[in-house]
Amino acid sequence: MENAQLIGLSRQVALQRQMDVVANNMANINTAGFKNEAMLYEEYEMPVARDRDFSYSDQTLSYTQDWATMHDLSAGAIVQTGNPLDVALQGDGFLSVQTLAGERYTRDGSLKIDANGTLVTSNGQPILSEGGTVTFGPAETDIAIGQDGSISSSAGNKGRLKVVSFEAPQLLKREGDNLFSGADAVAIADTSTLVVQGAIEHSNVSGVTEMANMIRVNRAYQTLTQMIQRQDELRSKAIQTLGSMQA
Amino acid sequence: MKALYIASTGMAAQERNVEVISNNIANMRTTGYKKQRAEFQDLIYQQIRRAGSQTSETGTMVPVGVEIGSGVRTSATTRIMTTGDMIPTEKELDVAISGQGFFVIQHPDGRTAYTRDGAFERDPDGQMVTVDGYQVEPGIVIPENARGISISNDGIVEAYLGTDTEPTELGQLQIASFVNSAGLQSIGNNLFVETPASGGAQISVAAADGLGALLQGYLELSNVNSVTEISDLIAAQRAYEMNARVISGADEMLSSVSNLR
């Protein structure tokens, strides 16, 4: 009889994690370049748990397990900002960022210039061009970024943004700070992604869908709590009935 | 439950967003004001099942991991330096910059400040000053008997003195530009000061080196667009409400557990 409760619990643990994922999506509804996350489950056949209440052969019991969080890599809305250092990517590509831990990737195109004139992210990590970092001199003005990612200023051509896409984008790992790392994802140079200057890609989180997800998680969780409660009542009744000494 | 804390970071971020938007709206009619935009970043992820880890000796691996994020934080409030609308004022000492660049101001605390607010005045000594009485660089003195002051589009200030029939040049306004003008720090009173992020000021004159030309008798309004601000405000408010709903949803889940038995 405990099996039913344990199966219910395995689902509740997974639902709690899904609630965390929904909460994180919702918290990042205004984060530039943020990609929605979805949770996938798989059936887990518990090798040690068997149901012997039936006359036919042993029945394996299936528990639930959170199996993966999937990146929903669909494009977010591209919004004009008028800031010349904002870029939005139209296509599957990612911008490359140089961090102390190695190369990282982002869809957040709100770029900045740091004290040395280097093109950086909001955290001051250099954005990579095909030839390395991009640096502007103090007197340079009129920074322009073309559709193919080529950067120019009053001092002429400054190189081209390194835009990469991935053979297996689902293998990307999230690192926070709008960065993805892609050790297993195999980055390939991307030429089909268009770079739009003066615009930014919003998060692709849909508030309505997440709200519906949350309600579903919430209800499923409550149903399971009720089920556990019923199971408990059932057991207490069984103990009472079976344990009564009236013969 | 983590969802409670995650959603609270979301609410805090939207609160910050509304603060930035309301400051933009409050400064909608501030001369030379440049709007700000709150930017956000996701927080660190907890890797519960790592993508790419091996699942068997034959080399099969987990194709997608389980990652649970921990919310959001405000990473920057970027200033958008686009040019605002120009409105005619018919006042001879009102100047607007149509294009890039900033007027150079001598701040009384010794720093050099920069502004897009070209509503200038004359102080008792005839100095060209801002409405706060701060000197506009380079110190241009307009004599008492000056009339018909004209400011050319490259910043040369001329006036007819006394009964002269030829105008006298009084000086030329300086214009500063920065590699990263969005990196300037605002110090209030429509003034900016340079920071390590903005780079040093490049002092030049208007209508040269890619800098904007001056327009006498005009003022630059703020570049706040009321329609986008209001729609951003609505989006921020809804996002705030949704995060609040997540908190109450997580609370319902917890309360269903605590009501067991």
Coordinates of all heavy atoms in Angstrom, one line a residue, chain A residues 76-145:
Chain A
G76 N 12.4 35.6 -29.4 CA 11.6 36.5 -28.6 C 11.3 37.7 -29.5 O 11.8 37.9 -30.6
A77 N 10.4 38.6 -29.0 CA 10.0 39.8 -29.8 C 11.2 40.7 -30.0 O 12.0 40.9 -29.0 CB 8.9 40.5 -29.1
I78 N 11.4 41.2 -31.2 CA 12.5 42.1 -31.4 C 12.0 43.6 -31.3 O 11.0 43.9 -32.0 CB 13.2 41.9 -32.7 CG1 14.0 40.5 -32.7 CG2 14.1 43.0 -33.1 CD1 14.7 40.2 -33.9
V79 N 12.5 44.3 -30.4 CA 12.0 45.7 -30.1 C 13.0 46.7 -30.4 O 14.2 46.6 -30.0 CB 11.6 45.7 -28.6 CG1 10.9 47.1 -28.3 CG2 10.6 44.6 -28.2
Q80 N 12.6 47.8 -31.1 CA 13.5 48.9 -31.4 C 13.8 49.7 -30.2 O 12.9 50.0 -29.4 CB 12.8 49.8 -32.4 CG 12.5 49.2 -33.8 CD 13.8 49.1 -34.6 OE1 14.7 49.9 -34.4 NE2 13.8 48.1 -35.5
T81 N 15.1 50.0 -30.0 CA 15.4 50.8 -28.8 C 16.1 52.1 -29.2 O 16.1 53.0 -28.4 CB 16.4 50.0 -27.9 OG1 17.6 49.8 -28.6 CG2 15.9 48.7 -27.5
G82 N 16.6 52.2 -30.4 CA 17.3 53.4 -30.8 C 18.7 53.5 -30.3 O 19.4 54.4 -30.6
N83 N 19.1 52.6 -29.4 CA 20.5 52.6 -28.8 C 21.4 51.9 -29.8 O 21.3 50.8 -30.1 CB 20.5 51.9 -27.5 CG 21.8 52.1 -26.8 OD1 22.7 52.7 -27.3 ND2 21.8 51.5 -25.6
P84 N 22.5 52.7 -30.3 CA 23.3 52.1 -31.4 C 24.1 50.8 -30.9 O 24.5 50.1 -31.7 CB 24.3 53.2 -31.8 CG 24.2 54.2 -30.6 CD 22.8 54.0 -30.1
L85 N 24.2 50.7 -29.6 CA 25.0 49.5 -29.1 C 24.1 48.3 -28.8 O 24.5 47.3 -28.2 CB 25.8 49.9 -27.9 CG 27.1 50.7 -28.2 CD1 27.8 51.1 -27.0 CD2 28.0 50.0 -29.2
D86 N 22.8 48.4 -29.1 CA 21.9 47.3 -28.9 C 21.9 46.5 -30.2 O 21.7 47.0 -31.3 CB 20.5 47.7 -28.6 CG 20.4 48.2 -27.1 OD1 21.2 47.8 -26.4 OD2 19.4 48.9 -26.8
V87 N 22.0 45.1 -30.1 CA 21.9 44.3 -31.3 C 20.9 43.2 -31.0 O 20.9 42.6 -29.9 CB 23.2 43.7 -31.8 CG1 24.0 44.8 -32.4 CG2 24.0 43.0 -30.8
A88 N 20.1 42.9 -31.9 CA 19.2 41.7 -31.8 C 19.6 40.7 -32.9 O 20.0 41.1 -34.0 CB 17.7 42.1 -32.0
L89 N 19.5 39.4 -32.6 CA 19.9 38.4 -33.6 C 18.6 37.9 -34.2 O 17.7 37.5 -33.5 CB 20.7 37.3 -33.0 CG 22.0 37.8 -32.4 CD1 22.8 36.6 -31.8 CD2 22.9 38.4 -33.4
Q90 N 18.5 37.9 -35.5 CA 17.4 37.3 -36.2 C 17.9 36.0 -36.8 O 18.6 36.0 -37.8 CB 16.9 38.3 -37.3 CG 15.5 38.4 -37.4 CD 15.1 39.5 -38.4 OE1 15.9 40.1 -39.0 NE2 13.8 39.7 -38.4
G91 N 17.5 34.9 -36.2 CA 18.0 33.6 -36.7 C 18.5 32.8 -35.5 O 18.2 33.1 -34.3
D92 N 19.2 31.7 -35.7 CA 19.5 30.7 -34.6 C 20.8 31.1 -33.9 O 21.2 30.4 -33.0 CB 19.6 29.3 -35.1 CG 18.3 28.8 -35.7 OD1 17.3 29.3 -35.3 OD2 18.4 28.0 -36.7
G93 N 21.5 32.1 -34.3 CA 22.8 32.4 -33.8 C 22.9 32.9 -32.4 O 21.9 33.3 -31.8
F94 N 24.1 32.9 -31.8 CA 24.4 33.4 -30.5 C 25.6 34.3 -30.7 O 26.5 34.1 -31.5 CB 24.7 32.3 -29.5 CG 23.6 31.5 -29.1 CD1 23.0 30.5 -29.9 CD2 23.0 31.7 -27.8 CE1 22.0 29.7 -29.4 CE2 21.9 31.0 -27.4 CZ 21.4 30.0 -28.2
L95 N 25.7 35.4 -29.8 CA 26.9 36.2 -29.8 C 27.9 35.4 -28.9 O 27.5 34.7 -27.9 CB 26.6 37.5 -29.1 CG 25.7 38.5 -29.9 CD1 25.3 39.6 -29.0 CD2 26.4 39.0 -31.2
S96 N 29.2 35.6 -29.2 CA 30.2 34.9 -28.4 C 30.8 35.9 -27.4 O 31.1 37.1 -27.7 CB 31.4 34.4 -29.3 OG 30.8 33.7 -30.3
V97 N 31.0 35.4 -26.1 CA 31.4 36.3 -25.1 C 32.7 35.6 -24.5 O 32.8 34.4 -24.3 CB 30.4 36.4 -23.9 CG1 30.9 37.3 -22.8 CG2 29.1 36.9 -24.5
Q98 N 33.7 36.5 -24.2 CA 34.9 35.9 -23.6 C 34.8 36.0 -22.1 O 34.6 37.1 -21.5 CB 36.1 36.7 -24.1 CG 37.4 36.2 -23.6 CD 38.6 37.1 -24.1 OE1 38.4 37.9 -24.9 NE2 39.7 36.9 -23.5
T99 N 34.9 34.9 -21.4 CA 34.8 35.0 -19.9 C 36.1 34.3 -19.4 O 36.8 33.6 -20.2 CB 33.6 34.2 -19.3 OG1 33.8 32.8 -19.5 CG2 32.3 34.6 -20.0
L100 N 36.4 34.4 -18.1 CA 37.5 33.8 -17.5 C 37.5 32.3 -17.7 O 38.5 31.6 -17.8 CB 37.7 34.2 -16.1 CG 38.0 35.7 -15.8 CD1 38.0 36.0 -14.3 CD2 39.3 36.0 -16.4
A101 N 36.3 31.7 -17.7 CA 36.1 30.3 -17.8 C 36.1 29.8 -19.2 O 35.9 28.6 -19.4 CB 34.8 29.9 -17.0
G102 N 36.3 30.7 -20.2 CA 36.3 30.3 -21.6 C 35.2 31.0 -22.3 O 34.5 31.9 -21.8
E103 N 34.9 30.5 -23.6 CA 33.9 31.2 -24.4 C 32.5 30.9 -24.0 O 32.2 29.7 -23.7 CB 34.2 30.8 -25.8 CG 33.8 31.8 -26.8 CD 34.2 31.5 -28.2 OE1 35.4 31.2 -28.4 OE2 33.4 31.6 -29.2
R104 N 31.7 31.8 -23.9 CA 30.3 31.7 -23.6 C 29.4 32.3 -24.6 O 29.9 33.1 -25.5 CB 30.0 32.3 -22.2 CG 30.7 31.6 -21.0 CD 30.2 30.2 -20.8 NE 30.9 29.5 -19.7 CZ 31.9 28.7 -19.8 NH1 32.5 28.5 -21.0 NH2 32.5 28.1 -18.8
Y105 N 28.1 32.0 -24.6 CA 27.2 32.5 -25.7 C 26.0 33.2 -25.1 O 25.5 32.8 -24.0 CB 26.8 31.3 -26.6 CG 28.1 30.5 -27.0 CD1 28.5 29.4 -26.3 CD2 28.9 30.9 -28.0 CE1 29.6 28.7 -26.6 CE2 30.0 30.3 -28.4 CZ 30.4 29.2 -27.7 OH 31.6 28.5 -28.0
T106 N 25.5 34.1 -25.8 CA 24.4 34.9 -25.3 C 23.5 35.4 -26.5 O 24.0 35.6 -27.6 CB 24.8 36.1 -24.4 OG1 23.7 36.6 -23.8 CG2 25.5 37.1 -25.2
R107 N 22.2 35.6 -26.2 CA 21.3 36.2 -27.1 C 21.0 37.6 -26.6 O 20.2 38.4 -27.2 CB 20.0 35.5 -27.2 CG 20.1 34.1 -27.8 CD 20.1 34.1 -29.3 NE 18.8 34.6 -29.9 CZ 18.5 34.5 -31.2 NH1 19.4 34.0 -32.0 NH2 17.4 34.9 -31.6
D108 N 21.6 38.0 -25.5 CA 21.3 39.4 -24.9 C 22.3 40.4 -25.6 O 23.5 40.3 -25.4 CB 21.6 39.3 -23.4 CG 21.5 40.7 -22.8 OD1 21.1 41.6 -23.5 OD2 21.9 40.8 -21.6
G109 N 21.7 41.2 -26.5 CA 22.5 42.1 -27.3 C 22.6 43.5 -26.8 O 22.9 44.4 -27.5
S110 N 22.4 43.7 -25.5 CA 22.5 45.1 -24.9 C 24.0 45.3 -24.6 O 24.4 45.0 -23.5 CB 21.6 45.3 -23.7 OG 21.9 44.3 -22.7
L111 N 24.7 45.7 -25.6 CA 26.2 45.8 -25.5 C 26.6 47.1 -24.9 O 25.8 48.1 -24.9 CB 26.9 45.5 -26.8 CG 26.4 44.3 -27.6 CD1 27.2 44.1 -28.9 CD2 26.6 43.1 -26.7
K112 N 27.8 47.1 -24.3 CA 28.3 48.4 -23.7 C 29.8 48.5 -24.1 O 30.3 47.7 -24.7 CB 28.3 48.2 -22.2 CG 27.0 47.7 -21.6 CD 26.0 48.8 -21.4 CE 24.7 48.3 -20.8 NZ 24.0 47.2 -21.3
I113 N 30.3 49.7 -23.8 CA 31.7 49.9 -24.0 C 32.4 50.2 -22.7 O 31.8 50.9 -21.9 CB 32.0 51.1 -25.0 CG1 31.5 50.7 -26.4 CG2 33.4 51.4 -25.0 CD1 31.5 51.8 -27.4
D114 N 33.5 49.5 -22.4 CA 34.1 49.7 -21.0 C 35.2 50.8 -21.1 O 35.4 51.5 -22.1 CB 34.6 48.4 -20.5 CG 35.9 47.9 -21.1 OD1 36.4 48.6 -22.1 OD2 36.4 46.9 -20.8
A115 N 35.9 50.9 -19.9 CA 36.9 52.0 -19.8 C 37.9 52.0 -20.8 O 38.5 53.0 -21.2 CB 37.5 51.9 -18.4
N116 N 38.3 50.8 -21.3 CA 39.3 50.7 -22.3 C 38.8 50.8 -23.8 O 39.5 50.6 -24.7 CB 40.1 49.3 -22.2 CG 40.5 49.1 -20.8 OD1 40.9 50.0 -20.1 ND2 40.3 47.9 -20.3
G117 N 37.5 51.0 -23.9 CA 36.9 51.1 -25.2 C 36.5 49.8 -25.8 O 36.2 49.7 -27.0
T118 N 36.6 48.7 -24.9 CA 36.3 47.4 -25.4 C 34.7 47.2 -25.4 O 34.1 47.6 -24.5 CB 36.9 46.3 -24.5 OG1 38.3 46.7 -24.4 CG2 36.8 44.9 -25.1
L119 N 34.3 46.5 -26.5 CA 32.8 46.2 -26.5 C 32.6 45.0 -25.6 O 33.2 43.9 -25.7 CB 32.5 45.7 -28.0 CG 31.1 45.7 -28.4 CD1 30.4 47.1 -28.3 CD2 30.9 45.2 -29.8
V120 N 31.7 45.2 -24.6 CA 31.4 44.2 -23.6 C 29.9 44.0 -23.3 O 29.1 44.7 -23.8 CB 32.1 44.7 -22.2 CG1 33.6 44.7 -22.3 CG2 31.6 46.0 -21.8
T121 N 29.6 43.0 -22.5 CA 28.3 42.7 -22.0 C 28.0 43.6 -20.8 O 28.9 44.3 -20.4 CB 28.1 41.3 -21.6 OG1 28.9 41.1 -20.4 CG2 28.5 40.3 -22.7
S122 N 26.8 43.6 -20.3 CA 26.5 44.4 -19.1 C 27.4 44.0 -17.9 O 27.5 44.8 -17.0 CB 25.0 44.1 -18.7 OG 24.2 44.5 -19.7
N123 N 28.0 42.8 -17.9 CA 28.9 42.4 -16.8 C 30.3 42.8 -17.1 O 31.2 42.4 -16.4 CB 28.8 40.9 -16.6 CG 27.5 40.6 -15.8 OD1 26.8 41.5 -15.4 ND2 27.2 39.4 -15.8
G124 N 30.6 43.4 -18.3 CA 32.0 43.8 -18.6 C 32.8 42.7 -19.2 O 34.0 42.8 -19.3
Q125 N 32.1 41.6 -19.7 CA 32.9 40.6 -20.4 C 33.0 40.9 -21.8 O 31.9 41.2 -22.5 CB 32.2 39.2 -20.1 CG 32.3 38.8 -18.7 CD 31.1 37.9 -18.3 OE1 30.0 38.0 -18.8 NE2 31.3 37.0 -17.3
P126 N 34.2 40.8 -22.4 CA 34.3 41.2 -23.8 C 33.5 40.4 -24.8 O 33.4 39.2 -24.7 CB 35.8 41.0 -24.1 CG 36.4 41.0 -22.8 CD 35.4 40.4 -21.8
I127 N 32.9 41.1 -25.8 CA 32.1 40.4 -26.9 C 33.2 40.1 -27.9 O 34.1 40.9 -28.2 CB 31.1 41.4 -27.4 CG1 30.0 41.6 -26.4 CG2 30.6 41.0 -28.8 CD1 29.0 40.5 -26.4
L128 N 33.1 38.9 -28.5 CA 34.2 38.5 -29.5 C 33.8 38.8 -30.9 O 32.6 38.7 -31.3 CB 34.4 37.0 -29.3 CG 35.1 36.6 -28.0 CD1 35.2 35.1 -27.9 CD2 36.5 37.2 -28.0
S129 N 34.7 39.3 -31.6 CA 34.5 39.4 -33.1 C 35.3 38.2 -33.7 O 36.0 37.5 -32.9 CB 35.1 40.7 -33.6 OG 36.5 40.7 -33.6
E130 N 35.3 38.1 -35.0 CA 36.0 36.9 -35.5 C 37.5 37.0 -35.3 O 38.2 36.0 -35.2 CB 35.7 36.8 -37.0 CG 34.4 36.1 -37.2 CD 33.8 36.3 -38.6 OE1 34.4 37.0 -39.4 OE2 32.8 35.7 -38.8
G131 N 38.0 38.3 -35.1 CA 39.5 38.4 -34.8 C 39.8 38.7 -33.4 O 40.9 39.1 -33.1
G132 N 38.9 38.4 -32.4 CA 39.1 38.7 -31.0 C 38.2 39.8 -30.5 O 37.1 39.9 -31.0
T133 N 38.7 40.5 -29.5 CA 37.8 41.5 -28.9 C 37.8 42.7 -29.8 O 38.7 42.9 -30.7 CB 38.3 41.9 -27.5 OG1 39.7 42.4 -27.6 CG2 38.3 40.8 -26.5
V134 N 36.8 43.6 -29.6 CA 36.6 44.8 -30.4 C 36.9 46.0 -29.5 O 36.3 46.1 -28.4 CB 35.2 44.9 -31.0 CG1 35.1 46.1 -31.9 CG2 34.8 43.6 -31.6
T135 N 37.8 46.9 -29.9 CA 38.1 48.0 -29.1 C 38.0 49.3 -29.9 O 38.4 49.4 -31.1 CB 39.6 47.9 -28.6 OG1 39.8 46.6 -28.0 CG2 39.9 49.0 -27.5
F136 N 37.3 50.3 -29.3 CA 37.2 51.6 -29.9 C 38.1 52.6 -29.3 O 38.2 52.6 -28.0 CB 35.7 52.1 -29.8 CG 34.7 51.1 -30.5 CD1 34.0 50.2 -29.8 CD2 34.6 51.2 -31.9 CE1 33.1 49.4 -30.4 CE2 33.7 50.3 -32.5 CZ 33.0 49.4 -31.7
G137 N 38.7 53.4 -30.1 CA 39.5 54.5 -29.5 C 38.7 55.6 -28.9 O 37.5 55.7 -29.2
P138 N 39.3 56.5 -28.1 CA 38.5 57.5 -27.4 C 37.9 58.5 -28.4 O 36.8 59.1 -28.0 CB 39.5 58.2 -26.5 CG 40.9 57.8 -27.0 CD 40.7 56.5 -27.7
A139 N 38.4 58.7 -29.6 CA 37.9 59.7 -30.4 C 36.9 59.2 -31.5 O 36.4 59.9 -32.3 CB 39.0 60.5 -31.2
E140 N 36.7 57.9 -31.4 CA 35.8 57.3 -32.4 C 34.3 57.5 -32.1 O 33.9 57.4 -31.0 CB 36.1 55.8 -32.6 CG 37.4 55.5 -33.2 CD 37.7 54.0 -33.2 OE1 36.8 53.2 -33.5 OE2 38.9 53.6 -32.9
T141 N 33.6 57.8 -33.2 CA 32.1 58.0 -33.0 C 31.4 57.2 -34.1 O 32.1 56.5 -34.9 CB 31.8 59.5 -33.1 OG1 32.3 60.0 -34.3 CG2 32.2 60.3 -31.9
D142 N 30.1 57.4 -34.2 CA 29.3 56.8 -35.2 C 29.5 55.2 -35.4 O 29.9 54.7 -36.4 CB 29.6 57.4 -36.6 CG 29.2 58.8 -36.6 OD1 28.1 59.1 -36.1 OD2 29.9 59.7 -37.2
I143 N 29.3 54.5 -34.3 CA 29.5 53.1 -34.3 C 28.3 52.5 -35.1 O 27.2 52.7 -34.7 CB 29.6 52.5 -32.9 CG1 30.9 53.0 -32.2 CG2 29.6 51.0 -32.9 CD1 31.0 52.8 -30.8
A144 N 28.6 51.7 -36.1 CA 27.6 51.1 -36.9 C 27.8 49.6 -36.9 O 29.0 49.1 -37.0 CB 27.5 51.7 -38.3
I145 N 26.7 48.8 -36.8 CA 26.9 47.3 -36.9 C 25.9 46.9 -38.0 O 24.7 47.2 -38.0 CB 26.5 46.7 -35.5 CG1 27.5 47.1 -34.5 CG2 26.6 45.1 -35.7 CD1 27.1 46.7 -33.1

